[in-house]
Amino acid sequence: MIIEPKIRGFICLTSHPAGCEKNIQNQIEYVKSKGNINGAKKVLVIGASTGFGMASRISSAFGSGASTIGVFFEKPPQEGKPASPGWYNSVAFQKEAAKAGLYAKSINGDAFSREVKAKTIELIKADLGTVDLVIYSLASPVRMNPETGILHRSVLKPIGQPYTNKTVDFHTGVVSEITIEPCNEEDIANTVAVMGGDDWSLWMDALMNAGALSENAMTVAYSYIGPSLTEAVYRKGTIGRAKDHLEATAFSIADKMKAIHGQAFVSVNKALVTQASSAIPVIPLYISLLYKVMKEKQIHEGCIEQIQRLYSERLFTGNKIDTDEKGRIRVDDWEMRTDVQDDIATLWPQATTETLPALGDLPGYKSEFLKLFGFGFPEIDYTKDVQENLEMPGLVSL
Ligand code: NAI
Protein backbone atom coordinates (compact mmCIF):
# COMPACT_ATOMS: atom_id res chain seq x y z
CA MET A 1 0.00 0.00 0.00
CA ILE A 2 1.00 3.66 -0.26
CA ILE A 3 1.40 5.03 3.25
CA GLU A 4 1.15 8.71 4.11
CA PRO A 5 1.28 10.42 7.49
CA LYS A 6 -2.13 10.72 9.15
CA ILE A 7 -1.68 13.11 12.05
CA ARG A 8 -4.15 13.52 14.91
CA GLY A 9 -3.05 15.88 17.67
CA PHE A 10 0.28 14.73 19.01
CA ILE A 11 0.21 11.32 17.37
CA CYS A 12 0.52 10.01 13.89
CA LEU A 13 -1.82 7.14 13.11
CA THR A 14 0.28 5.66 10.33
CA SER A 15 3.90 4.65 10.03
CA HIS A 16 6.13 3.76 7.13
CA PRO A 17 8.08 0.49 7.18
CA ALA A 18 10.84 1.63 4.81
CA GLY A 19 11.26 4.93 6.68
CA CYS A 20 11.40 3.17 10.05
CA GLU A 21 14.03 0.84 8.61
CA LYS A 22 16.07 3.82 7.45
CA ASN A 23 15.76 5.39 10.89
CA ILE A 24 17.15 2.22 12.50
CA GLN A 25 19.92 1.87 9.91
CA ASN A 26 21.00 5.49 10.49
CA GLN A 27 21.20 4.87 14.25
CA ILE A 28 23.22 1.68 13.69
CA GLU A 29 25.62 3.53 11.39
CA TYR A 30 26.08 6.25 13.98
CA VAL A 31 26.93 3.77 16.73
CA LYS A 32 29.33 1.89 14.47
CA SER A 33 31.03 5.14 13.45
CA LYS A 34 31.83 5.86 17.10
CA GLY A 35 33.74 2.60 17.55
CA ASN A 36 33.59 -0.28 19.96
CA ILE A 37 32.17 0.14 23.47
CA ASN A 38 33.48 -2.29 26.05
CA GLY A 39 29.97 -2.85 27.41
CA ALA A 40 27.60 -5.59 28.53
CA LYS A 41 27.34 -8.63 26.27
CA LYS A 42 23.90 -9.97 27.23
CA VAL A 43 21.28 -7.26 27.48
CA LEU A 44 17.58 -7.04 28.24
CA VAL A 45 15.84 -3.83 27.16
CA ILE A 46 12.33 -3.22 28.49
CA GLY A 47 10.68 -0.62 26.24
CA ALA A 48 13.00 -1.52 23.35
CA SER A 49 11.12 -0.46 20.23
CA THR A 50 11.32 3.35 20.08
CA GLY A 51 13.05 6.36 21.68
CA PHE A 52 15.73 5.81 24.31
CA GLY A 53 15.01 2.08 24.59
CA MET A 54 15.65 1.37 20.91
CA ALA A 55 18.76 3.57 21.07
CA SER A 56 19.92 1.44 24.02
CA ARG A 57 19.29 -1.80 22.16
CA ILE A 58 21.23 -0.51 19.14
CA SER A 59 24.11 0.80 21.28
CA SER A 60 24.42 -2.58 23.00
CA ALA A 61 24.15 -4.68 19.87
CA PHE A 62 26.18 -2.60 17.44
CA GLY A 63 28.48 -0.88 19.95
CA SER A 64 29.35 -3.91 22.07
CA GLY A 65 28.31 -6.88 19.93
CA ALA A 66 25.73 -7.79 22.57
CA SER A 67 23.01 -10.39 22.40
CA THR A 68 19.77 -8.53 23.07
CA ILE A 69 16.26 -9.37 24.16
CA GLY A 70 13.76 -6.56 23.60
CA VAL A 71 10.37 -6.22 25.27
CA PHE A 72 7.81 -3.75 23.93
CA PHE A 73 4.10 -3.24 23.31
CA GLU A 74 3.40 -2.47 19.66
CA LYS A 75 0.55 -2.88 17.26
CA PRO A 76 1.28 -5.47 14.55
CA PRO A 77 0.21 -4.66 11.00
CA GLN A 78 -2.93 -5.95 9.36
CA GLU A 79 -3.65 -6.26 5.68
CA GLY A 80 -4.15 -2.65 4.54
CA LYS A 81 -3.32 -1.18 7.98
CA PRO A 82 0.22 -0.23 8.95
CA ALA A 83 1.75 -1.34 12.25
CA SER A 84 2.82 1.10 14.96
CA PRO A 85 6.34 2.45 14.32
CA GLY A 86 7.95 0.41 17.08
CA TRP A 87 6.88 -2.73 15.24
CA TYR A 88 8.62 -1.68 12.02
CA ASN A 89 11.64 -0.40 13.99
CA SER A 90 11.95 -3.80 15.64
CA VAL A 91 11.54 -5.67 12.36
CA ALA A 92 14.40 -3.56 10.97
CA PHE A 93 16.51 -4.07 14.10
CA GLN A 94 15.99 -7.83 14.01
CA LYS A 95 16.96 -7.94 10.32
CA GLU A 96 20.12 -5.90 10.85
CA ALA A 97 21.10 -7.94 13.91
CA ALA A 98 20.71 -11.17 11.92
CA LYS A 99 22.86 -9.75 9.10
CA ALA A 100 25.55 -8.90 11.65
CA GLY A 101 25.36 -12.37 13.21
CA LEU A 102 24.02 -11.02 16.50
CA TYR A 103 21.54 -12.87 18.71
CA ALA A 104 18.30 -10.85 19.01
CA LYS A 105 14.84 -11.87 20.13
CA SER A 106 11.78 -9.77 20.85
CA ILE A 107 8.68 -10.11 22.99
CA ASN A 108 5.61 -8.02 22.12
CA GLY A 109 3.29 -7.72 25.11
CA ASP A 110 2.45 -5.83 28.28
CA ALA A 111 5.68 -5.51 30.28
CA PHE A 112 3.63 -4.73 33.39
CA SER A 113 2.09 -8.20 33.33
CA ARG A 114 3.33 -11.32 35.11
CA GLU A 115 3.02 -13.28 31.87
CA VAL A 116 5.53 -11.12 29.95
CA LYS A 117 7.99 -11.16 32.86
CA ALA A 118 7.76 -14.97 33.08
CA LYS A 119 8.17 -15.39 29.31
CA THR A 120 11.20 -13.08 29.26
CA ILE A 121 12.86 -14.97 32.09
CA GLU A 122 12.16 -18.30 30.37
CA LEU A 123 13.80 -16.94 27.21
CA ILE A 124 16.84 -15.60 29.07
CA LYS A 125 17.32 -18.92 30.88
CA ALA A 126 16.95 -20.95 27.68
CA ASP A 127 19.07 -18.81 25.35
CA LEU A 128 21.45 -16.64 27.37
CA GLY A 129 21.51 -18.14 30.88
CA THR A 130 21.71 -14.70 32.48
CA VAL A 131 21.80 -11.04 31.44
CA ASP A 132 24.49 -8.51 32.40
CA LEU A 133 22.49 -5.34 31.78
CA VAL A 134 18.79 -4.49 32.11
CA ILE A 135 17.65 -1.20 30.59
CA TYR A 136 14.24 -0.06 31.81
CA SER A 137 12.83 2.46 29.32
CA LEU A 138 9.05 2.19 29.47
CA ALA A 139 6.84 5.19 28.76
CA SER A 140 3.16 4.38 29.03
CA PRO A 141 -0.03 6.22 29.89
CA VAL A 142 -1.59 3.21 31.65
CA ARG A 143 -0.59 0.25 33.82
CA MET A 144 -2.60 -2.67 35.01
CA ASN A 145 -1.05 -3.61 38.35
CA PRO A 146 -0.88 -7.41 38.25
CA GLU A 147 -0.82 -7.65 42.07
CA THR A 148 -4.01 -5.63 42.63
CA GLY A 149 -5.82 -5.85 39.28
CA ILE A 150 -6.20 -2.04 39.33
CA LEU A 151 -5.81 -0.11 36.08
CA HIS A 152 -3.84 3.09 36.73
CA ARG A 153 -3.82 6.04 34.33
CA SER A 154 -1.05 8.61 34.50
CA VAL A 155 -1.75 12.31 34.09
CA LEU A 156 0.46 15.26 33.21
CA LYS A 157 -0.69 17.93 35.61
CA PRO A 158 0.72 20.48 38.04
CA ILE A 159 0.36 19.94 41.77
CA GLY A 160 -1.30 22.44 44.13
CA GLN A 161 -2.30 25.22 41.75
CA PRO A 162 -3.23 25.82 38.13
CA TYR A 163 -0.29 26.38 35.83
CA THR A 164 -0.43 28.83 32.96
CA ASN A 165 2.26 29.06 30.34
CA LYS A 166 2.86 29.11 26.63
CA THR A 167 2.82 26.09 24.41
CA VAL A 168 3.01 25.47 20.70
CA ASP A 169 0.97 23.30 18.39
CA PHE A 170 3.99 22.03 16.53
CA HIS A 171 1.98 21.14 13.42
CA THR A 172 0.58 24.64 12.87
CA GLY A 173 3.24 26.68 14.66
CA VAL A 174 0.56 28.51 16.67
CA VAL A 175 1.83 29.61 20.07
CA SER A 176 -0.90 29.97 22.66
CA GLU A 177 -1.34 30.22 26.39
CA ILE A 178 -2.72 27.21 28.19
CA THR A 179 -3.82 26.70 31.73
CA ILE A 180 -3.60 23.25 33.23
CA GLU A 181 -5.71 22.60 36.27
CA PRO A 182 -3.97 20.99 39.24
CA CYS A 183 -4.27 17.30 39.95
CA ASN A 184 -5.83 15.60 42.95
CA GLU A 185 -4.12 13.12 45.29
CA GLU A 186 -5.43 10.16 43.32
CA ASP A 187 -3.82 11.52 40.12
CA ILE A 188 -0.45 11.61 41.86
CA ALA A 189 -0.79 8.05 43.13
CA ASN A 190 -1.90 6.82 39.70
CA THR A 191 0.95 8.55 37.87
CA VAL A 192 3.48 7.15 40.35
CA ALA A 193 1.94 3.69 39.89
CA VAL A 194 2.41 3.90 36.12
CA MET A 195 5.69 5.78 35.68
CA GLY A 196 7.38 5.31 39.08
CA GLY A 197 9.72 2.51 40.05
CA ASP A 198 7.23 -0.14 41.17
CA ASP A 199 7.28 -2.17 37.97
CA TRP A 200 11.06 -1.77 37.55
CA SER A 201 11.43 -3.22 41.02
CA LEU A 202 9.10 -6.14 40.19
CA TRP A 203 11.15 -6.90 37.09
CA MET A 204 14.43 -6.87 39.01
CA ASP A 205 13.00 -9.03 41.82
CA ALA A 206 11.68 -11.54 39.29
CA LEU A 207 14.98 -11.65 37.38
CA MET A 208 17.03 -11.98 40.55
CA ASN A 209 14.82 -14.63 42.13
CA ALA A 210 15.01 -16.67 38.93
CA GLY A 211 18.81 -16.43 38.84
CA ALA A 212 18.58 -14.64 35.50
CA LEU A 213 21.07 -11.87 36.39
CA SER A 214 24.83 -12.30 35.94
CA GLU A 215 27.27 -11.61 38.74
CA ASN A 216 28.04 -7.83 38.55
CA ALA A 217 24.87 -7.17 36.53
CA MET A 218 23.70 -3.60 36.16
CA THR A 219 20.30 -2.01 35.61
CA VAL A 220 19.55 1.51 34.40
CA ALA A 221 16.24 3.38 34.13
CA TYR A 222 15.75 6.78 32.50
CA SER A 223 14.64 9.99 34.16
CA TYR A 224 14.29 13.67 33.35
CA ILE A 225 14.72 16.89 35.33
CA GLY A 226 14.62 19.94 33.02
CA PRO A 227 14.72 23.65 33.84
CA SER A 228 12.60 25.75 36.20
CA LEU A 229 10.67 26.94 33.13
CA THR A 230 8.92 23.56 32.80
CA GLU A 231 9.07 22.34 36.38
CA ALA A 232 5.43 23.08 37.29
CA VAL A 233 4.24 20.65 34.63
CA TYR A 234 7.21 18.28 34.71
CA ARG A 235 9.54 17.86 37.66
CA LYS A 236 7.23 19.39 40.27
CA GLY A 237 4.12 17.97 38.64
CA THR A 238 2.61 14.49 38.72
CA ILE A 239 5.22 13.01 36.35
CA GLY A 240 7.97 14.49 38.53
CA ARG A 241 6.57 12.61 41.53
CA ALA A 242 6.80 9.43 39.47
CA LYS A 243 10.41 10.26 38.56
CA ASP A 244 11.19 10.93 42.28
CA HIS A 245 9.83 7.46 42.99
CA LEU A 246 11.81 5.91 40.13
CA GLU A 247 15.00 7.54 41.39
CA ALA A 248 14.37 6.36 44.97
CA THR A 249 13.72 2.86 43.64
CA ALA A 250 17.23 2.76 42.13
CA PHE A 251 18.57 2.72 45.70
CA SER A 252 16.32 -0.10 46.90
CA ILE A 253 17.15 -2.18 43.81
CA ALA A 254 20.87 -1.43 44.29
CA ASP A 255 20.61 -2.73 47.87
CA LYS A 256 19.10 -6.00 46.72
CA MET A 257 21.63 -6.33 43.89
CA LYS A 258 24.52 -6.18 46.34
CA ALA A 259 23.98 -9.94 46.73
CA ILE A 260 25.29 -10.39 43.18
CA HIS A 261 27.69 -7.42 43.33
CA GLY A 262 25.34 -5.64 40.96
CA GLN A 263 24.44 -1.99 40.56
CA ALA A 264 21.29 0.02 39.80
CA PHE A 265 21.19 3.55 38.42
CA VAL A 266 18.95 6.18 37.03
CA SER A 267 20.32 8.15 34.10
CA VAL A 268 18.91 11.63 33.62
CA ASN A 269 18.60 12.20 29.88
CA LYS A 270 17.99 15.22 27.69
CA ALA A 271 14.58 16.41 26.51
CA LEU A 272 13.94 14.96 23.09
CA VAL A 273 11.14 14.58 20.59
CA THR A 274 9.63 11.15 21.20
CA GLN A 275 6.08 9.87 21.21
CA ALA A 276 6.07 10.24 25.00
CA SER A 277 7.36 13.83 25.20
CA SER A 278 5.14 15.21 22.40
CA ALA A 279 2.15 14.56 24.64
CA ILE A 280 3.30 16.87 27.46
CA PRO A 281 1.98 20.47 27.23
CA VAL A 282 4.59 23.28 27.17
CA ILE A 283 7.42 20.79 26.48
CA PRO A 284 7.19 21.05 22.64
CA LEU A 285 7.80 24.82 22.81
CA TYR A 286 10.68 24.29 25.20
CA ILE A 287 12.16 21.59 22.94
CA SER A 288 11.88 23.73 19.83
CA LEU A 289 13.88 26.50 21.56
CA LEU A 290 16.28 23.98 23.09
CA TYR A 291 17.02 22.39 19.71
CA LYS A 292 17.71 25.78 18.15
CA VAL A 293 20.09 26.81 20.94
CA MET A 294 21.88 23.45 21.15
CA LYS A 295 22.25 23.18 17.37
CA GLU A 296 23.75 26.67 17.22
CA LYS A 297 26.24 25.65 19.91
CA GLN A 298 26.84 22.36 18.06
CA ILE A 299 25.93 20.27 21.07
CA HIS A 300 22.58 18.95 19.85
CA GLU A 301 21.97 15.23 20.41
CA GLY A 302 19.17 12.80 19.56
CA CYS A 303 18.34 9.56 21.39
CA ILE A 304 21.15 7.60 19.76
CA GLU A 305 23.83 10.22 20.47
CA GLN A 306 22.62 10.44 24.08
CA ILE A 307 22.74 6.71 24.70
CA GLN A 308 26.00 6.17 22.82
CA ARG A 309 27.51 8.82 25.12
CA LEU A 310 25.86 7.31 28.19
CA TYR A 311 27.45 3.95 27.37
CA SER A 312 30.87 5.10 26.22
CA GLU A 313 31.47 7.99 28.63
CA ARG A 314 29.50 7.00 31.74
CA LEU A 315 28.58 3.32 32.09
CA PHE A 316 31.43 1.45 30.41
CA THR A 317 34.58 3.51 30.86
CA GLY A 318 36.17 0.93 33.14
CA ASN A 319 36.18 3.48 35.98
CA LYS A 320 33.74 4.10 38.81
CA ILE A 321 30.49 5.51 37.40
CA ASP A 322 30.16 9.26 37.97
CA THR A 323 26.92 10.45 39.54
CA ASP A 324 25.49 13.66 40.94
CA GLU A 325 24.86 14.28 44.64
CA LYS A 326 21.64 12.28 44.40
CA GLY A 327 23.34 9.25 42.86
CA ARG A 328 22.05 9.91 39.34
CA ILE A 329 24.04 9.60 36.14
CA ARG A 330 23.72 12.81 34.11
CA VAL A 331 23.70 12.97 30.32
CA ASP A 332 21.45 16.03 30.42
CA ASP A 333 24.59 17.98 31.29
CA TRP A 334 24.68 19.85 27.96
CA GLU A 335 20.96 20.68 28.08
CA MET A 336 21.37 22.06 31.59
CA ARG A 337 24.50 24.12 30.85
CA THR A 338 24.05 27.68 32.15
CA ASP A 339 24.69 29.27 28.76
CA VAL A 340 22.05 27.03 27.13
CA GLN A 341 19.42 27.70 29.78
CA ASP A 342 20.19 31.44 29.87
CA ASP A 343 19.59 31.64 26.12
CA ILE A 344 16.27 29.79 26.43
CA ALA A 345 15.17 32.00 29.30
CA THR A 346 15.82 35.04 27.09
CA LEU A 347 13.96 33.57 24.10
CA TRP A 348 10.96 32.23 26.04
CA PRO A 349 9.12 35.56 26.64
CA GLN A 350 9.75 36.59 23.04
CA ALA A 351 8.27 33.44 21.50
CA THR A 352 4.99 34.04 19.66
CA THR A 353 3.36 32.52 16.61
CA GLU A 354 5.02 35.26 14.53
CA THR A 355 8.50 35.08 16.06
CA LEU A 356 8.89 31.36 16.68
CA PRO A 357 9.96 30.49 13.12
CA ALA A 358 13.03 32.68 13.64
CA LEU A 359 13.60 32.03 17.35
CA GLY A 360 12.97 28.31 17.56
CA ASP A 361 13.62 25.17 15.59
CA LEU A 362 10.07 24.24 14.71
CA PRO A 363 11.08 22.62 11.41
CA GLY A 364 13.55 20.49 13.40
CA TYR A 365 10.79 19.49 15.83
CA LYS A 366 8.37 18.60 13.05
CA SER A 367 10.89 16.67 11.07
CA GLU A 368 12.01 14.67 14.14
CA PHE A 369 8.38 13.96 14.96
CA LEU A 370 7.66 12.66 11.46
CA LYS A 371 10.83 10.58 11.51
CA LEU A 372 9.53 8.77 14.61
CA PHE A 373 6.90 7.34 12.28
CA GLY A 374 9.25 6.73 9.36
CA PHE A 375 8.31 9.83 7.35
CA GLY A 376 10.52 12.55 5.88
CA PHE A 377 13.56 10.48 4.95
CA PRO A 378 14.89 11.89 1.65
CA GLU A 379 16.06 8.43 0.54
CA ILE A 380 12.53 7.00 0.63
CA ASP A 381 10.06 7.39 -2.23
CA TYR A 382 6.78 7.75 -0.38
CA THR A 383 4.74 7.52 -3.56
CA LYS A 384 5.81 3.90 -3.98
CA ASP A 385 3.83 0.89 -2.85
CA VAL A 386 5.29 -0.82 0.23
CA GLN A 387 4.49 -4.10 1.94
CA GLU A 388 2.82 -3.09 5.22
CA ASN A 389 2.22 -6.59 6.48
CA LEU A 390 5.72 -7.36 7.72
CA GLU A 391 6.40 -10.28 10.01
CA MET A 392 8.99 -9.81 12.69
CA PRO A 393 11.95 -12.17 12.64
CA GLY A 394 13.00 -13.28 16.13
CA LEU A 395 9.60 -12.57 17.65
CA VAL A 396 8.85 -14.95 20.50
CA SER A 397 5.15 -15.67 20.84
CA LEU A 398 3.54 -15.41 24.24
P1 NAI B 1 8.90 6.11 23.85
O1 NAI B 1 7.45 6.39 23.84
O2 NAI B 1 9.70 6.41 22.62
O3 NAI B 1 9.16 4.54 24.19
C1 NAI B 1 8.41 3.82 25.09
C2 NAI B 1 8.69 2.34 24.97
O4 NAI B 1 7.89 1.66 25.98
C3 NAI B 1 8.28 1.69 23.63
O5 NAI B 1 9.23 0.68 23.30
C4 NAI B 1 6.94 1.05 23.93
O6 NAI B 1 6.62 -0.08 23.12
C5 NAI B 1 7.19 0.59 25.36
N1 NAI B 1 5.97 0.35 26.13
C6 NAI B 1 5.00 1.22 26.49
N2 NAI B 1 4.06 0.59 27.23
C7 NAI B 1 4.45 -0.71 27.34
C8 NAI B 1 3.91 -1.84 27.97
N3 NAI B 1 2.78 -1.80 28.68
N4 NAI B 1 4.58 -3.01 27.84
C9 NAI B 1 5.73 -3.11 27.12
N5 NAI B 1 6.30 -2.04 26.53
C10 NAI B 1 5.66 -0.87 26.63
O7 NAI B 1 9.47 6.85 25.12
P2 NAI B 1 10.86 7.56 25.50
O8 NAI B 1 10.69 9.01 25.37
O9 NAI B 1 12.01 6.88 24.87
O10 NAI B 1 10.88 7.28 27.08
C11 NAI B 1 11.57 6.22 27.70
C12 NAI B 1 11.98 6.67 29.08
O11 NAI B 1 12.88 7.77 28.98
C13 NAI B 1 10.80 7.14 29.95
O12 NAI B 1 11.01 6.74 31.28
C14 NAI B 1 10.91 8.65 29.84
O13 NAI B 1 10.33 9.32 30.93
C15 NAI B 1 12.41 8.82 29.83
N6 NAI B 1 12.89 10.11 29.33
C16 NAI B 1 12.36 10.68 28.18
C17 NAI B 1 12.79 11.93 27.76
C18 NAI B 1 12.25 12.58 26.53
O14 NAI B 1 12.42 13.76 26.36
N7 NAI B 1 11.61 11.84 25.65
C19 NAI B 1 13.84 12.66 28.51
C20 NAI B 1 14.41 11.92 29.61
C21 NAI B 1 13.91 10.71 30.02
Side-chain angles (χ1 to χ4, degrees):
M1 66 186 284
I2 292 168
I3 308 176
E4 289 173 344
K6 222 186 251 175
I7 292 165
R8 297 282 178 280
F10 50 78
I11 68 155
C12 179
L13 298 177
T14 49
S15 64
H16 199 279
C20 289
E21 183 174 42
K22 187 73 203 150
N23 189 5
I24 297 305
Q25 286 167 345
N26 288 349
Q27 294 189 53
I28 292 173
E29 282 317 307
Y30 175 78
V31 167
K32 285 201 208 155
S33 77
K34 301 300 275 188
N36 186 53
I37 303 166
N38 192 14
K41 295 286 185 236
K42 295 183 289 180
V43 179
L44 168 64
V45 181
I46 304 161
S49 54
T50 55
F52 284 115
M54 177 52 98
S56 306
R57 193 173 194 189
I58 291 172
S59 299
S60 283
F62 292 91
S64 307
S67 300
T68 59
I69 293 178
V71 176
F72 44 77
F73 207 9
E74 298 295 340
K75 214 162 31 105
Q78 292 166 8
E79 205 60 51
K81 202 164 175 223
S84 56
W87 178 274
Y88 292 136
N89 288 345
S90 301
V91 169
F93 175 86
Q94 288 281 163
K95 281 206 307 209
E96 296 297 328
K99 266 195 241 164
L102 294 167
Y103 170 98
K105 289 213 176 144
S106 295
I107 294 179
N108 188 35
D110 183 4
F112 297 129
S113 70
R114 286 196 187 124
E115 189 195 7
V116 165
K117 291 184 177 76
K119 191 74 206 179
T120 307
I121 288 168
E122 188 189 309
L123 184 62
I124 293 171
K125 302 282 269 186
D127 288 4
L128 305 176
T130 55
V131 286
D132 316 322
L133 173 66
V134 179
I135 297 291
Y136 188 84
S137 186
L138 286 188
S140 173
V142 288
R143 171 179 172 225
M144 166 69 82
N145 184 329
E147 317 283 313
T148 60
I150 297 173
L151 184 73
H152 298 280
R153 279 183 197 284
S154 67
V155 298
L156 297 160
K157 287 186 181 171
I159 297 173
Q161 56 208 22
Y163 169 62
T164 301
N165 210 330
K166 289 196 245 187
T167 192
V168 65
D169 176 333
F170 55 87
H171 300 301
T172 60
V174 172
V175 177
S176 61
E177 204 173 77
I178 54 155
T179 297
I180 317 168
E181 290 305 318
C183 65
N184 56 39
E185 282 303 313
E186 215 181 311
D187 288 333
I188 299 176
N190 278 323
T191 307
V192 170
V194 180
M195 288 297 287
D198 194 34
D199 180 64
W200 183 27
S201 193
L202 291 176
W203 267 101
M204 297 315 295
D205 284 348
L207 289 162
M208 221 168 345
N209 293 340
L213 295 181
S214 314
E215 185 75 10
N216 300 316
M218 184 158 52
T219 184
V220 181
Y222 297 140
S223 188
Y224 182 66
I225 299 175
S228 53
L229 202 58
T230 59
E231 72 183 10
V233 71
Y234 199 96
R235 195 63 206 209
K236 291 191 175 161
T238 48
I239 182 71
R241 288 292 178 89
K243 291 301 186 194
D244 290 344
H245 187 268
L246 185 81
E247 291 172 14
T249 305
F251 292 103
S252 61
I253 294 176
D255 273 345
K256 293 184 201 163
M257 285 180 73
K258 279 187 189 144
I260 53 161
H261 304 103
Q263 301 181 87
F265 292 102
V266 153
S267 169
V268 182
N269 300 348
K270 170 191 188 230
L272 280 172
V273 180
T274 64
Q275 291 184 67
S277 67
S278 305
I280 311 177
V282 185
I283 299 287
L285 180 57
Y286 169 69
I287 290 183
S288 72
L289 296 176
L290 179 73
Y291 274 29
K292 175 87 169 187
V293 170
M294 292 186 81
K295 282 178 184 174
E296 272 172 10
K297 293 180 190 286
Q298 299 188 344
I299 50 170
H300 174 71
E301 295 175 298
C303 285
I304 196 66
E305 290 85 358
Q306 275 268 289
I307 301 300
Q308 200 283 335
R309 188 158 69 93
L310 168 69
Y311 278 31
S312 61
E313 295 184 17
R314 301 287 191 274
L315 294 181
F316 303 119
T317 60
N319 301 320
K320 190 173 169 290
I321 294 170
D322 256 351
T323 59
D324 68 9
E325 72 293 349
K326 292 188 172 167
R328 304 172 294 203
I329 300 168
R330 303 294 296 265
V331 283
D332 66 337
D333 48 345
W334 298 348
E335 170 181 357
M336 299 309 282
R337 257 172 42 177
T338 314
D339 59 326
V340 171
Q341 289 303 327
D342 283 353
D343 285 359
I344 294 171
T346 308
L347 294 173
W348 190 267
Q350 301 169 27
T352 61
T353 308
E354 291 70 36
T355 60
L356 190 61
L359 298 182
D361 184 22
L362 212 50
Y365 194 109
K366 274 195 212 175
S367 117
E368 293 260 309
F369 179 80
L370 283 173
K371 282 185 173 159
L372 299 176
F373 301 88
F375 296 108
F377 289 91
E379 304 87 347
I380 309 289
D381 179 355
Y382 291 96
T383 61
K384 256 173 74 180
D385 236 2
V386 278
Q387 174 55 261
E388 74 284 5
N389 214 351
L390 293 183
E391 284 191 12
M392 191 182 301
L395 182 69
V396 176
S397 51
L398 281 168

